[in-house]
Amino acid sequence: MRDRISFWALASIFLIATAILSVLALSVSAQSNFNCSVYNYSQVPGDMVRLINLYQGNNSHAEYGNESNYNWSVACKSNITTIDYGCSNNFLNVVQLFNYTNSHVSVDNVYSGQVCFNTSDGSLVWSLQLSDRSTVPADYECAFAIYNYSNSHVYECGHVNASYNVNIRLATTDVIPPTGSIVIYGPNGTEYTGTDNVFLNLTYDDNIGVRSCRWANDNESNLTYAPWENCTTVKAWLLSPGYGNKTVYYEINDTAGNTAIFNDSILYYYTQDYTPPTMPTVYDGPDCVDIDWWNSNDTLHACWFNATDDISDTIYYKYRIMENGSCYGNDCNFTDAGTDLSVTVGGLTLYENWVYSFDVIAYVFNLSSGIASSNSTRIDLTLPDAPSVNSSTHPDQNRAYAEPTARLNWSAEDILGSGNRSGIEGYSYLLDRHPGTAPDNIMEDRYWQTLTTLNNNGYGQLLSANSSFGPPNTYAVFRQLHANFTENESVRVRVALAEIVSDYDDLMGVEVFLIKHANGAGFSAFDQHGYAISSIANVSQDIAYADTMDLAQVYRFSLTVNETVTDDTSDIYIVVAGLTSDNDNRNNLSIAGSTGNVDLSGWDYVCDDADVCTNMTASVDYAIEVKKADSGDEWFTEYPGLADGTYYFHVKAKDNAGNWGNTTHFRINVAAGGVSVGIVSPEDGQIFTTDSTEANISVKVMVSGNASVHVVALHPDGSNYTSPEAVFSTVSIFKNVTLELGQNELYAVANTSAGAITVSSSVYVIVSKEVIPMTNKTLIVKYSGCAVSPLPYICSATTGSSRVGMANEYPQGIGPGYIQADTSTNTIKIFMSRDFDVTGADDYFYEDEFLDLTIPSFGYIKEDKPYVVQNELRYGDVYVGGDLKLQPGKYNLYITHHGVTPDGRVNLSVEVR
């Protein structure tokens, strides 16, 4: 394969050589004498025109020449005609400013504010040329010097700290056409090409400046229909269709309207390819993400990229799957993928803890690359364990605590039978008042522990002084952190900063990082880089102006800890420092702080760049917030300000293969101002029958301490019943609590002698009219396509690589597509099995253990267990009630599952037909 780097290197050499020839051929006599120089603003001669004004004589920001904020000016004049400041008539755009004053400059049109010279004499032609600071081109005069093409300060011509002179010229009308060249380059060189996709290597030059260029295939007349474009030195080009000799025409237009046309030809014909394409890079995950673990037992993904060929624009691919280093299914043949760059292969049989990878070959015609292999993925079908949860604030789930902030920590294991593990990737968790809520399948961020808070009452500390200040000019502030840090931990820092006095477009530099010192060492130097224990966030940006420091804007920085340090062995500080190299700002940069209620738990220092340090601990808290993410296998979170009552923390783990585990539910009882209260009975969802419109029931309530308690029943029509008060300290029963037909909400309210009120979680019960009891409890379940096999109480079918079916130990009837049973004694089991085992299924039928193995659902994920699936719904009896009475007869009952409500409750609808 031809080396493309060498190809472009040759092209670059040709361009440079051509450009030198073009410059040497250019010669025009100058017709003016500008006498440009830097003057004191008040001493500019009357026959001179101010081009730009400067803050200082060299290394300076600039402003428009018609402003009067600065004390120096670059001024020029002409001995041919009067020149004015402006951009009209016959003008030259000399320099561009970002702002009308206090601005960096550019000469490549990066900024929009144009600074021009103009003349009304249309017979004259302007031109501008940059040169090295030590030279001025013939026929040109230097106006001033710059350091960069853009974002630059201004200097006197030839200044030692400048890089380029900006040279101008005013000459008689130009009649000399532009010069240039064109060379067509294909992958095979400049003589012939095997593809119609080529590159044009171009040069262009003119004594007064080039305006635009255009190109056309085959005939010079086609240029007429081509659009004018910006000129370039390299252009991708598509030759006209068909093999043969191809010519490309190239036209250049200068600013005076003069044009010149150039052309080059190349032979285009079929070219034999003798070199194969390069090998692609192969990933073995979905969405072209490289993964190490995967959780499917029948599907693999792969993608590939970066293959190239020197002749053909179209590359084809083929692949095969490898299993534990050998060909999958002993089939080492490759499957053609065409030009596709990814593949998903289903219908496989993949095994727990086995390793799979893809081999991919890129090919063009009969030329193939070597075999490129992915780095493999290991199968993990086992769910991670349910997390083990603890609370440092509410450790006993059966006790109430007078602590309104709940802090929880948890971890989970994910180990396969052979000892390999994909490991825990993260968790989904939430806190609410329902005992069985399921977290969603979205991982939460790790908990960010707050180490210092950002307080600001208008205090300001200088970080960088403007250039008119005498030393010291730069300061650093230090705030102590009482925390342990572990290598690779993430740290977020928020700092309140402001530009003071007025708003100017200056890039101001700030450094933020962590350091460690010996215990009690204090500070004696400004520069603390040698003590850094984290990455250094070095930011340069236009800090927002604030009229007063209490309005300072907050800026965020991210750090990564690079060594493990403990608070017991070292003093750890956050550093916010100005940059000593940032010495050209118009205004001061300051950090905010607070002088009220100063935190004395940690040291605060400030040091200047003269190494004078002051202990500010008793005086100010600098406006710095520091948070760090927890790390390691154990996760943490906290919930502050909980009201009295019972809460449930729900958490489940996700492993690196993508498996979500089962949920752990942890109860928290808060009685910060009162007692914990809860309804013991009736149960949530219980049904009561009546032959009237009301029912009176008994409600059992438990409290954790002495309190006056009453029970409230909210009726379906919006009315309510409130029981009499009862004073007790453990358990009491409230009789004759009145309910109405339909769903009623019950809750208890406890009031202590101190006036602290606690409300229990709600219990929902149903009141229904009495009916003639059902005598036939037969349930028929239909599954189209299932067959009775291999046992007389199983009806199942194969779907993909799994068997889906239903079963009952004592069916009243069973046949193709259905099963019927008295479900009051034996439920009908619906199952999915990857490896169907008749004996195993029979064993699991005993006492409904089959259903209890994992919770049934309508959707499923593949896992290593032989039976059923995962879902977070909790199941139990379903109660149906209402105020309608059915006549004796036969009815069909349809129960539709609508998912889970936002508050975590199962949503069912029931229809009788």
Side-chain angles (χ1 to χ4, degrees), residues 4 7-8 183-186 197-201 234-237:
R4 292 184 183 273
F7 159 65
W8 286 116
V183 176
I184 305 173
Y185 268 86
N197 285 294
V198 296
F199 289 92
L200 309 180
N201 279 10
V234 177
K235 184 175 181 64
W237 188 256

Side-chain angles (χ1 to χ4, degrees), residues 457 459 461 593-600 602-606 614-622:
N457 69 353
Y459 176 87
Q461 166 61 51
S594 176
T595 55
N597 298 319
V598 174
D599 180 7
L600 301 178
W603 301 103
D604 290 270
Y605 285 87
V606 61
T614 305
N615 188 331
M616 303 293 291
T617 304
S619 304
V620 63
D621 288 331
Y622 297 111

Side-chain angles (χ1 to χ4, degrees), residues 181-182 200 202 204 212-217 219 222-235 237 248-252 262:
S181 65
I182 176 174
L200 309 180
L202 307 159
Y204 53 90
S212 53
C213 297
R214 59 184 177 181
W215 300 264
N217 279 322
N219 293 295
N222 289 336
L223 287 169
T224 305
Y225 309 102
W228 290 104
E229 304 177 27
N230 292 331
C231 298
T232 182
T233 56
V234 177
K235 184 175 181 64
W237 188 256
V248 179
Y249 290 87
Y250 168 41
E251 184 173 11
I252 307 171
F262 309 89

Side-chain angles (χ1 to χ4, degrees), residues 116-137:
C116 308
F117 274 146
N118 76 87
T119 178
S120 58
D121 189 343
S123 67
L124 301 177
V125 178
W126 293 99
S127 58
L128 182 146
Q129 186 170 336
L130 300 181
S131 67
D132 181 85
R133 70 167 185 263
S134 61
T135 62
V136 176

Side-chain angles (χ1 to χ4, degrees), residues 417-429:
S418 62
N420 288 312
R421 62 188 298 175
S422 65
I424 300 297
E425 181 183 5
Y427 298 87
S428 177
Y429 58 87

Side-chain angles (χ1 to χ4, degrees), residues 258-325:
N258 303 303
T259 62
I261 298 175
F262 309 89
N263 67 78
D264 188 36
S265 299
I266 194 169
L267 190 59
Y268 172 33
Y269 61 88
Y270 171 75
T271 305
Q272 179 63 46
D273 192 350
Y274 294 101
T275 56
T278 61
M279 291 192 302
T281 300
V282 185
Y283 286 170
D284 44 24
D287 303 320
C288 212
V289 176
D290 196 21
I291 60 174
D292 297 320
W293 294 86
W294 182 234
N295 68 339
S296 173
N297 67 352
D298 62 4
T299 303
L300 292 173
H301 307 269
C303 75
W304 44 85
F305 53 95
N306 280 351
T308 59
D309 187 75
D310 61 345
I311 297 296
S312 177
D313 297 322
T314 304
I315 301 177
Y316 299 87
Y317 301 91
K318 50 189 176 181
Y319 68 90
R320 68 185 179 192
I321 298 173
M322 305 298 289
E323 182 179 65
N324 293 330

Side-chain angles (χ1 to χ4, degrees), residues 331-574:
D331 182 4
C332 292
N333 295 313
F334 283 82
T335 300
D336 203 299
T339 57
D340 290 345
L341 297 177
S342 64
V343 67
T344 296
V345 184
L348 304 172
T349 301
L350 310 177
Y351 295 97
E352 180 89 76
N353 206 29
W354 285 25
V355 176
Y356 296 87
S357 62
F358 279 80
D359 288 345
V360 178
I361 292 175
Y363 68 94
V364 175
F365 305 112
N366 61 343
L367 298 172
S368 298
S369 71
I371 297 176
S373 301
S374 66
N375 65 356
S376 76
T377 184
R378 188 180 295 271
I379 302 299
D380 177 1
L381 304 174
T382 301
L383 305 185
D385 293 343
S388 174
V389 181
N390 296 287
S391 173
S392 60
T393 56
H394 300 74
D396 189 341
Q397 297 185 64
N398 297 312
R399 280 188 53 197
Y401 295 87
E403 171 57 61
T405 295
R407 297 185 180 89
L408 300 116
N409 59 284
W410 67 93
S411 62
E413 295 289 334
D414 181 49
I415 302 178
L416 305 184
S418 62
N420 288 312
R421 62 188 298 175
S422 65
I424 300 297
E425 181 183 5
Y427 298 87
S428 177
Y429 58 87
L430 77 157
L431 183 79
D432 65 13
R433 289 181 175 268
H434 299 288
T437 303
D440 58 26
N441 285 357
I442 301 174
M443 286 196 307
E444 305 291 339
D445 288 336
R446 298 205 72 154
Y447 173 65
W448 288 86
Q449 178 186 359
T450 300
L451 307 182
T452 64
T453 57
L454 192 155
N455 299 319
N456 179 9
N457 69 353
Y459 176 87
Q461 166 61 51
L462 186 65
L463 289 181
S464 294
N466 68 36
S467 54
S468 64
F469 270 51
N473 294 90
T474 314
Y475 297 80
V477 299
F478 308 88
R479 192 168 188 191
Q480 188 177 12
L481 308 174
H482 288 298
N484 300 325
F485 291 88
T486 304
E487 185 177 1
N488 295 322
E489 274 186 331
S490 297
V491 176
R492 292 176 181 169
V493 183
R494 297 171 67 245
V495 183
L497 303 170
E499 181 182 17
I500 297 301
V501 178
S502 60
D503 188 16
Y504 280 90
D505 179 34
D506 273 339
L507 297 178
M508 295 179 164
V510 180
E511 279 188 339
V512 178
F513 54 101
L514 295 170
I515 63 170
K516 70 172 182 179
H517 277 205
N519 282 334
F523 287 87
S524 60
F526 168 84
D527 187 355
Q528 296 291 316
H529 291 90
Y531 302 97
I533 62 168
S534 74
S535 58
I536 298 176
N538 189 321
V539 178
S540 180
Q541 66 183 91
D542 182 17
I543 302 299
Y545 162 76
D547 185 43
T548 57
M549 286 305 299
D550 60 324
L551 302 177
Q553 186 167 318
V554 176
Y555 296 84
R556 178 173 165 174
F557 306 86
S558 296
L559 307 176
T560 301
V561 179
N562 53 34
E563 68 175 276
T564 299
V565 184
T566 64
D567 187 38
D568 293 337
T569 59
S570 301
D571 286 346
I572 305 169
Y573 292 86
I574 184 69

